[in-house]
Amino acid sequence: MATDQRLLTWLLDSDPALRWQVERDLAGAPPETWEATRARVATEGFGAELLSKQDADGQWAGGAYFPAGFFGSAEAERPGQPWTATTWALKDLREWGLDASVLTGTAEKIAANSRWEYDDLPYWGGEVDVCINSYTLATGAWLGADVSALAAWFPAHRLTDGGWNCEAEEGRSTRSSFHSTLNALRGTLAYERITGDTSVRAARHAGEEYLLSRHLLYRASTGSPVGDFVGQFVFPNRHRYSALVALDHFRDAALLDGTPPDPRLADAVDVVRAARQPDGTWLQGAPLPGRTWFDVDVPEGESSRWLTLIGARALDWWDQDPARTAGGATGRSR
């Protein structure tokens, strides 16, 4: 593996939620090793602590997307939002690798007890926000809820330019958003991987093409960078787009689809590579404001194990592509 032993040792000295991914994606450990570490997510560290916060009715913090009592409170007047409610807790647990069997019965409890703050809609049916629906689709598939109707929502709500936008449902935009599109892609990819249902694959590929045609960085209209956020890396990123998170998705998608890295990723790879520090790490950016149950990464400006895992595996995947190492195509002409 391209990651050196010193860096691997540092990365492996981490919570099981992170360590098992380092073992699988960077250290080349056999499945029995990383699967054993992954099993510890339920009983140690971040996973065990977040599981302990679950309410008796299956929710977290008494709410679907926001904690109970949020609206009308002083907290609602502050920047950001709390990251403590059911949707965020389940998203974290799923992405940390918790075995869904640990949450047996949770899907049923949420169906009975959790409603969206938007129009009091039933939880597993989703609502109107693309990003919220993407998290719900992936989490529902993971927990075994019937989210087939929600899966059909994604092709039906894709915009004419190929992607999605959370503001489109309210009539505030007819153009796709980098943020919304990437969240939709990650949700539909997770759904397909978990269920084997390929009904959303064509829509996912079209959404991926929307980002690839822009080399993950640029406006289609002017060719200028779409925003400073593409080079601002933070963990947890929640809903926020960056070149790093986008590359992580395209790596995941290529592994599922059995395809090589698309040459149009080259400029985004350059952005990610340029942010790598001389010691091989990536630095934590400015955390998204809002209350959390507990910290899962370092303060701003310090070397982040999470970002280093994500960055290192993306670059390893790109650099090990045989076509590229043999002198294949790279990025676009600027």
Side-chain angles (χ1 to χ4, degrees):
M1 290 292 179
T3 308
D4 65 47
Q5 189 56 51
R6 174 196 53 80
L7 197 61
L8 277 176
T9 299
W10 176 72
L11 287 168
L12 289 167
D13 182 20
S14 57
D15 189 273
L18 193 159
R19 181 184 172 107
W20 74 265
Q21 298 181 68
V22 176
E23 291 172 340
R24 183 192 65 179
D25 298 337
L26 297 178
E32 56 268 24
T33 297
W34 61 260
E35 287 171 356
T37 303
R38 185 174 182 171
R40 291 164 45 202
V41 172
T43 58
E44 299 178 27
F46 302 151
E49 187 168 355
L50 189 51
L51 284 169
S52 74
K53 308 296 186 183
Q54 188 179 20
D55 302 332
D57 68 358
Q59 299 188 99
W60 274 259
Y65 196 75
F66 298 94
F70 172 73
F71 293 101
S73 70
E75 186 175 28
E77 302 302 317
R78 296 196 288 269
Q81 69 168 84
W83 310 104
T84 54
T86 302
T87 296
W88 300 108
L90 289 174
K91 181 178 184 291
D92 285 343
L93 290 169
R94 174 174 55 82
E95 293 180 350
W96 293 344
L98 181 75
D99 192 302
S101 65
V102 175
L103 289 171
T104 296
T106 289
E108 292 77 12
K109 288 181 179 180
I110 289 174
N113 301 313
S114 192
R115 312 283 294 192
W116 292 109
E117 291 82 6
Y118 181 92
D119 279 359
D120 198 39
L121 295 169
Y123 192 90
W124 294 122
E127 47 126 282
V128 299
D129 184 283
V130 178
C131 298
I132 292 174
N133 285 351
S134 72
Y135 312 144
T136 308
L137 179 69
T139 295
W142 173 57
L143 293 181
D146 181 4
V147 287
S148 55
L150 186 55
W153 185 95
F154 283 85
H157 288 78
R158 192 167 57 84
L159 299 177
T160 55
D161 61 4
W164 290 265
N165 192 325
C166 292
E167 296 187 346
E169 299 306 312
E170 302 293 341
R172 295 195 299 269
S173 180
T174 58
R175 294 187 299 176
S176 295
S177 154
F178 275 50
H179 303 279
S180 300
T181 297
L182 182 57
N183 280 301
L185 296 178
R186 302 203 90 179
T188 53
L189 179 68
Y191 171 80
E192 181 180 341
R193 178 188 293 114
I194 293 166
T195 66
D197 179 2
T198 60
S199 64
V200 295
R201 181 180 292 178
R204 171 171 65 83
H205 285 170
E208 288 166 350
E209 181 60 28
Y210 167 84
L211 292 177
L212 286 168
S213 69
R214 292 152 175 80
H215 294 250
L216 276 61
L217 303 175
Y218 309 116
R219 298 182 186 277
S221 56
T222 64
S224 60
V226 69
D228 291 343
F229 59 81
V230 297
Q232 296 171 348
F233 307 154
V234 62
F235 190 90
N237 74 300
R238 311 295 184 188
H239 51 70
R240 185 174 170 182
Y241 184 97
S242 73
L244 178 61
V245 180
L247 277 179
D248 200 41
H249 166 76
F250 279 95
R251 172 186 174 274
D252 282 349
L255 293 176
L256 181 66
D257 293 341
T259 56
D262 190 293
R264 291 172 291 178
L265 300 173
D267 288 3
V269 168
D270 289 345
V271 170
V272 171
R273 201 186 303 276
R276 193 173 199 170
Q277 301 301 298
D279 63 359
T281 68
W282 278 261
L283 302 182
Q284 174 73 299
L288 276 65
R291 177 165 52 93
T292 63
W293 287 112
F294 48 85
D295 292 333
V296 297
D297 206 356
V298 294
E300 182 178 0
E302 295 187 12
S303 294
S304 162
R305 285 180 172 84
W306 282 106
L307 294 178
T308 300
L309 160 68
I310 297 167
R313 71 185 175 193
L315 294 186
D316 279 0
W317 166 70
W318 174 264
D319 291 340
Q320 291 169 14
D321 176 46
R324 184 163 300 96
T325 54
T330 57
R332 69 173 185 173
S333 298
R334 296 299 308 282

